[in-house]
Amino acid sequence: MTVSHEKQTSHQPSTSPQRYNGPARDGDWTNYRDTITSLYLDQNKSLKEVMRIMREEYYFFATEKMYKIRFNKWGLHKKLRAHQVAELLVQCGKRAAVGKTSVSFVHGRKIDADRLNTYLRRVSPARRKELEAILSGRMDLGAAQKRSIEEIICRTPSPEPEPEPVPRRIEAPDSLRLPEECMQIVHSYVGGAFEAALFQLTPENELVFPRRGKTWLDPVSSARQLFVNGFTQQAFHMLKITFDDYKDVMTRQDPSLLVETCLALGALLQSGPGLAESLVRYACKMSRIVFGPRHPLHLLFMRLNTASPSDIAKFTSMIMQSYLQAVQLTSRLKPTWLATIYRAMLNSGFIETQAAQAYMEELLADLKESTSPPSSSSSASSSPSSQAGSSPGRDDALRKDVELLQYHLSWLVNLHNKPTEAAVAAQTLVETRSRDARLARFSCYNMLRTLPTSHDVSDGEAVELMYRSLEICEAEFGRNDNATVTLLATLQTYLRRVKRVAEAERVRRDFEVRWDEVVEGMGRLNTQ
């Protein structure tokens, strides 16, 4: 087939990015042939560069061997071949003999006279002998060579100026392109996780999360408080241990991985400059090691790694919301888990109070509807199988879920960012001890986080709150738990504020002793 230069420059395939759907197929090669040709020949990019651009900008995945097979099939060669030069010399010579000027094309690519002269000047002795043999007719061309020279054209130059090359595609600014790409990758990741059975569902289609008393995210929350209270060395040490254990968290790849990573970024953004970026870089490198360069999570972290520090929070918020939406297209998320996540997103500044309130009101309405007794007409018409899902145990669990959601919603409406929030959080810790360990731990960290903004809680009152909370944390979580030791660090700060210096020194020494025990126990985090 002969391809003219005009046709080559005027045709531009649709090359909008697609999400990862496996290695490139025949149709993909056809759709992107002009794009790949432009990159490799017109823009003179190396094969490695072409592969990277096609992978990162178009989600087009193929091995180096696959590219080389296609290049041979398409006749894409950056270096001229001896048989091509011979044909160019013959055609241009015939035209020159009758006084015609020529412009030459090989596979639709313009070959100017300077390039032809450069080839003749630099050609090796062996290639020169081959060229002379072809021109003299002493060497017969193979079938592939004959097909190749059929796509060599020499013609009279056009009198009009050549059109400007059509851009490969109009590039959107990163602020628009990165969010769109991140959303596509998140949906690809979630879809693949369900297809590969990485994410499990209950018979009620509810997504299964592993049961863990605490997560690897707890030390990140502790590190944030240590930074706030001036224990910088200990905070960095805790982050190092957390980062070291992130590989195990990533390998497990349960449904909480992406959510917890985003919430960790939120905590680090509030802890100090450069900390969130460090986690992004670490996650990018570790995901390549654990999953490989084409895995959606690695592609996602790669894009976060290119974001400016000011954009990381915005993109992380969008990733979390995209993830929650994508998961709920296939499964149901436990409402109380969602409520906790919305509160954590609010605390990280990922969503506004009004948005979190609207989400929780919707969750509460759905839960109340599921706990409402059926009407007499619907009850009479319902089958025994439809009534089997209702049981005293299930109904009791639903009622508890409703109460917990009402608590979270009431907190948002009446207490969030209010001057007494820390005091109420401490009271919640008291009320939930031995009943709901996760909510108790959440309340402890929430109290520590909100103490600086709870202006109606005096420093003296804060000390009393923390002493009472410390007693509960030691009993419920242990003397050397992250939350307990972090509480000690904050307590000594407030003791100094109220001029109880000797007491503060005693608490600090207690903290340092326990800290050594915490580090020893955290040699490997218990993430099971």
Side-chain angles (χ1 to χ4, degrees), residues 213-225:
K214 59 180 180 179
T215 72
W216 71 280
L217 191 58
D218 292 324
V220 179
S221 300
S222 296
R224 176 175 58 186
Q225 289 303 125

Side-chain angles (χ1 to χ4, degrees), residues 285-297:
K285 294 177 181 177
M286 192 56 63
S287 60
R288 182 182 179 90
I289 294 171
V290 174
F291 302 130
R294 299 192 301 182
H295 192 277
L297 282 181

Side-chain angles (χ1 to χ4, degrees), residues 34-52:
D34 287 355
T35 303
I36 294 169
T37 300
S38 174
L39 289 170
Y40 188 64
L41 295 183
D42 299 340
Q43 301 181 41
N44 197 32
K45 302 214 178 268
S46 67
L47 177 54
K48 295 289 187 183
E49 288 178 303
V50 173
M51 293 174 65
R52 179 187 61 78

Side-chain angles (χ1 to χ4, degrees), residues 2-232:
T2 302
V3 182
S4 69
H5 179 62
E6 289 84 0
K7 183 176 181 180
Q8 183 78 5
T9 57
S10 62
H11 176 67
Q12 185 70 17
S14 173
T15 54
S16 57
Q18 302 293 319
R19 70 181 189 179
Y20 175 64
N21 289 316
R25 297 179 287 273
D26 285 344
D28 300 323
W29 288 102
T30 301
N31 291 337
Y32 287 97
R33 176 172 178 171
D34 287 355
T35 303
I36 294 169
T37 300
S38 174
L39 289 170
Y40 188 64
L41 295 183
D42 299 340
Q43 301 181 41
N44 197 32
K45 302 214 178 268
S46 67
L47 177 54
K48 295 289 187 183
E49 288 178 303
V50 173
M51 293 174 65
R52 179 187 61 78
I53 292 171
M54 293 303 298
R55 179 177 66 248
E56 295 180 5
E57 296 190 15
Y58 299 95
Y59 304 144
F60 182 96
F61 298 90
T63 64
E64 184 174 341
K65 183 178 180 181
M66 293 167 67
Y67 271 97
K68 289 180 177 179
I69 291 173
R70 288 288 167 169
F71 284 4
N72 285 330
K73 183 177 180 180
W74 294 344
L76 295 187
H77 302 290
K78 289 190 174 182
K79 295 181 180 179
L80 290 172
R81 301 298 197 261
H83 65 279
Q84 294 172 332
V85 172
E87 182 65 19
L88 286 169
L89 292 173
V90 169
Q91 289 194 29
C92 291
K94 289 180 179 179
R95 291 176 58 81
V98 294
K100 293 182 179 180
T101 57
S102 301
V103 59
S104 305
F105 298 92
V106 176
H107 293 284
R109 185 184 180 198
K110 185 179 178 181
I111 306 297
D112 57 30
D114 288 341
R115 184 174 179 192
L116 196 57
N117 291 332
T118 299
Y119 177 91
L120 295 172
R121 187 172 63 252
R122 296 180 178 178
V123 67
S124 66
R127 286 284 179 257
R128 185 175 294 279
K129 287 183 179 179
E130 180 184 353
L131 179 59
E132 292 172 351
I134 295 172
L135 288 170
S136 64
R138 298 194 309 271
M139 177 183 289
D140 293 331
L141 299 180
Q145 292 172 320
K146 289 179 180 178
R147 286 197 300 271
S148 178
I149 65 174
E150 290 177 358
E151 297 195 13
I152 294 176
I153 299 172
C154 291
R155 61 172 176 78
T156 302
S158 173
E160 295 91 16
E162 293 186 6
E164 291 291 326
V166 178
R168 185 170 77 256
R169 70 172 186 170
I170 298 175
E171 293 288 350
D174 285 351
S175 60
L176 297 178
R177 179 172 57 83
L178 284 177
E180 178 185 355
E181 291 180 358
C182 288
M183 285 190 290
Q184 291 174 339
I185 295 172
V186 167
H187 280 263
S188 175
Y189 167 62
V190 172
F194 278 116
E195 290 175 7
L198 289 173
F199 292 177
Q200 300 293 323
L201 300 175
T202 67
E204 293 77 25
N205 204 43
E206 187 174 285
L207 188 62
V208 176
F209 288 89
R211 285 191 170 273
R212 287 177 280 152
K214 59 180 180 179
T215 72
W216 71 280
L217 191 58
D218 292 324
V220 179
S221 300
S222 296
R224 176 175 58 186
Q225 289 303 125
L226 291 173
F227 278 119
V228 169
N229 289 285
F231 292 93
T232 305

Side-chain angles (χ1 to χ4, degrees), residues 446-458:
N446 198 47
M447 176 194 67
L448 297 176
R449 184 186 63 82
T450 57
L451 273 173
T453 57
S454 296
H455 303 299
D456 282 0
V457 179
S458 68

Side-chain angles (χ1 to χ4, degrees), residues 283-493:
C284 187
K285 294 177 181 177
M286 192 56 63
S287 60
R288 182 182 179 90
I289 294 171
V290 174
F291 302 130
R294 299 192 301 182
H295 192 277
L297 282 181
H298 178 65
L299 297 176
L300 187 64
F301 292 137
M302 274 178 51
R303 278 152 181 78
L304 262 184
N305 199 32
T306 65
S308 64
S310 61
D311 282 338
I312 288 180
K314 179 173 62 178
F315 292 159
T316 303
S317 170
M318 180 272 303
I319 288 171
M320 282 197 72
Q321 295 186 61
S322 296
Y323 176 81
L324 296 176
Q325 293 168 359
V327 168
Q328 291 180 94
L329 291 175
T330 305
S331 67
R332 176 179 175 270
L333 290 173
K334 188 172 177 62
T336 50
W337 179 85
L338 269 176
T340 304
I341 295 302
Y342 289 143
R343 277 194 64 180
M345 291 175 70
L346 179 64
N347 292 341
S348 296
F350 290 157
I351 55 175
E352 299 293 333
T353 304
Q354 289 182 336
Q357 182 177 333
Y359 292 149
M360 290 195 195
E361 287 174 346
E362 184 178 349
L363 289 173
L364 185 59
D366 290 342
L367 257 187
K368 285 183 175 180
E369 183 178 346
S370 64
T371 58
S372 300
S375 62
S376 58
S377 59
S378 62
S379 177
S381 61
S382 61
S383 64
S385 61
S386 66
Q387 298 179 27
S390 177
S391 65
R394 180 177 180 273
D395 291 344
D396 185 56
L398 284 173
R399 278 192 294 272
K400 289 181 178 179
D401 285 350
V402 169
E403 291 174 1
L404 185 57
L405 267 175
Q406 288 174 329
Y407 159 77
H408 282 303
L409 185 57
S410 174
W411 187 285
L412 285 184
V413 175
N414 301 313
L415 295 169
H416 179 66
N417 282 342
K418 300 297 191 296
T420 58
E421 185 173 5
V424 182
Q427 182 60 32
T428 303
L429 174 61
V430 173
E431 295 172 353
T432 54
R433 62 181 302 182
S434 303
R435 183 166 60 87
D436 190 333
R438 291 184 69 88
L439 181 56
R441 183 179 293 276
F442 183 91
S443 299
C444 176
Y445 282 119
N446 198 47
M447 176 194 67
L448 297 176
R449 184 186 63 82
T450 57
L451 273 173
T453 57
S454 296
H455 303 299
D456 282 0
V457 179
S458 68
D459 290 345
E461 289 172 329
V463 168
E464 298 308 314
L465 289 177
M466 282 185 279
Y467 266 125
R468 183 172 58 169
S469 300
L470 180 62
E471 180 183 351
I472 295 172
C473 287
E474 288 177 336
E476 297 297 323
F477 310 139
R479 280 177 46 84
N480 300 325
D481 181 81
N482 295 327
T484 306
V485 176
T486 304
L487 189 53
L488 272 178
T490 309
L491 174 58
Q492 70 89 32
T493 298

